[in-house]
Amino acid sequence: MACPEYNLSTAFTATLTTVCCISGSLAVVQNLAVLLAVRKIHSLRSTARYFMASLAAAELLSGFTGNLHFILNHSRKLDIIFMRTEAALFLFTTASVTFSLSNVALDRYIAITSPLQYHNRMTLTRCLILIIFSWCLALLGAAMMYVVPEENLVQMWICGDIISVFIPFCIIAFCYCQIYRATKSSFTVRENLTEAQQMAENNRQRKTANTFGIIIGLFTLLFMPCFILNCTYIFDPPDKNVMKCNSFRRTIWIWIAVISYFSAVCDPWVYAIRMRDFRMAVKELFRSMCRILHFS
């Protein structure tokens, strides 16, 4: 099945290409910096660093492949093979990011609500299992786009949105609510900390809670429009072609998808603004690169 031809204006094409180039380039540079600097963030436990690195890798992949896809294929004729490929790419990149965000949220939830039991509950083995499971689940969801019957592709797309957007959103929201409640109550007093150290730890945990508030806000702002748009297909009769074939529908879908890829650009800035150790790690990385370039 091939969709009808559609026409995108020259202004739209030029604007889209510019936005995708900027977004993709920033996503690669920023998240690569996160991957290189994360091991130097001494305030994070080793498991938290793995979760953060997984998130940065997912956002780097998402920002690069997603934006590159729309730069190269925004005006391509929409046949069924292309639609399956686009659906698989979007589901994989989105799910890898949202699942990684869920892992980070779960890790922070345990660290803040049960600090004394953190090392027993979040071991390195469990951390790696969560990361591998998240990536494998995202890959499996993408692969399913190639095996479902053509007449069920739209339903599969909606199910993919529920798995890759709605469920992670619920997990992140639950973790944030529990973290926020914990920061409003008294923190667990640790015997090995002085009063001043305890106050500093409490302030750090509250800052972490506020950071997650920003992250969940960005999550909602960037991912939910795509989820809502795809859910509208539920009300379209299945015997009609609902594969975004006309110019207006295709234009709306492209912009909403491109906006969702902006999470790969925004999240590293959240870290930079909210985490002093992250800023120091990036500065140290930058100075090291300058010294290497100077002596080369």
Side-chain angles (χ1 to χ4, degrees):
M1 180 185 67
C3 295
E5 295 284 356
Y6 59 91
N7 297 309
L8 301 176
S9 67
T10 303
F12 171 84
T13 300
T15 304
L16 175 69
T17 302
T18 302
V19 170
C20 288
C21 285
I22 295 174
S23 176
S25 300
L26 289 175
V28 171
V29 172
Q30 292 177 180
N31 287 288
L32 185 60
V34 174
L35 284 170
L36 295 175
V38 68
R39 63 186 179 89
K40 299 180 182 293
I41 304 177
H42 304 297
S43 62
L44 292 178
R45 298 176 176 90
S46 59
T47 49
R49 291 176 191 159
Y50 280 112
F51 284 131
M52 193 171 179
S54 176
L55 175 59
E59 291 183 326
L60 191 157
L61 179 65
S62 172
F64 176 75
T65 58
N67 285 291
L68 182 64
H69 166 76
F70 284 115
I71 290 173
L72 299 177
N73 301 303
H74 60 270
S75 59
R76 178 173 169 174
K77 186 177 180 179
L78 305 182
D79 55 48
I80 188 60
I81 299 299
F82 176 76
M83 291 305 301
R84 289 183 185 274
T85 302
E86 183 170 89
L89 175 64
F90 183 79
L91 179 58
F92 176 70
T93 54
T94 301
S96 62
V97 170
T98 56
F99 291 165
S100 296
L101 279 171
S102 300
N103 289 338
V104 172
L106 182 63
D107 177 73
R108 292 295 86 202
Y109 162 69
I110 297 174
I112 292 176
T113 59
S114 305
L116 300 180
Q117 291 81 37
Y118 177 83
H119 289 290
N120 294 327
R121 295 184 178 182
M122 187 56 70
T123 62
L124 181 60
T125 301
R126 290 176 180 175
C127 166
L128 295 178
I129 288 175
L130 276 173
I131 292 173
I132 294 172
F133 176 76
S134 299
W135 282 90
C136 289
L137 186 60
L139 186 61
L140 177 62
M144 288 298 294
M145 289 295 180
Y146 288 99
V147 298
V148 297
E150 181 179 330
E151 60 271 16
N152 300 124
L153 189 59
V154 173
Q155 289 83 349
M156 180 59 194
W157 185 289
I158 296 170
C159 291
D161 270 357
I162 292 174
I163 295 172
S164 64
V165 178
F166 184 73
I167 293 178
F169 173 81
C170 292
I171 294 173
I172 295 171
F174 169 80
C175 291
Y176 173 72
C177 289
Q178 295 301 312
I179 290 172
Y180 183 77
R181 287 178 59 187
T183 58
K184 288 299 182 181
S185 60
S186 58
F187 288 94
T188 303
V189 178
R190 304 187 200 181
E191 295 179 357
N192 61 331
L193 296 182
T194 65
E195 183 178 350
Q197 290 173 328
Q198 184 69 37
M199 290 178 62
E201 176 67 11
N202 293 350
N203 290 332
R204 190 178 71 85
Q205 302 291 28
R206 289 190 178 92
K207 189 171 184 178
T208 299
N210 293 332
T211 300
F212 268 103
I214 296 172
I215 290 175
I216 197 172
L218 287 172
F219 184 98
T220 304
L221 181 66
L222 297 174
F223 284 100
M224 281 302 169
C226 182
F227 174 73
I228 293 172
L229 176 68
N230 287 330
C231 284
T232 62
Y233 293 137
I234 296 174
F235 304 102
D236 287 334
D239 58 333
K240 293 182 178 180
N241 190 358
V242 294
M243 300 285 228
K244 305 177 285 295
C245 296
N246 60 71
S247 298
F248 177 75
R249 201 164 204 171
R250 180 65 177 170
T251 300
I252 294 297
W253 156 247
I254 288 176
W255 277 123
I256 287 180
V258 169
I259 287 172
S260 71
Y261 288 125
F262 265 96
S263 66
V265 178
C266 296
D267 286 344
W269 280 102
V270 175
Y271 305 145
I273 293 172
R274 304 292 299 181
M275 296 178 61
R276 181 173 177 270
D277 281 3
F278 176 75
R279 295 194 299 271
M280 294 176 63
V282 172
K283 289 178 182 178
E284 183 180 345
L285 174 66
F286 181 74
R287 286 194 292 266
S288 299
M289 293 178 62
C290 288
R291 285 195 296 267
I292 293 173
L293 293 175
H294 177 73
F295 289 109
S296 62

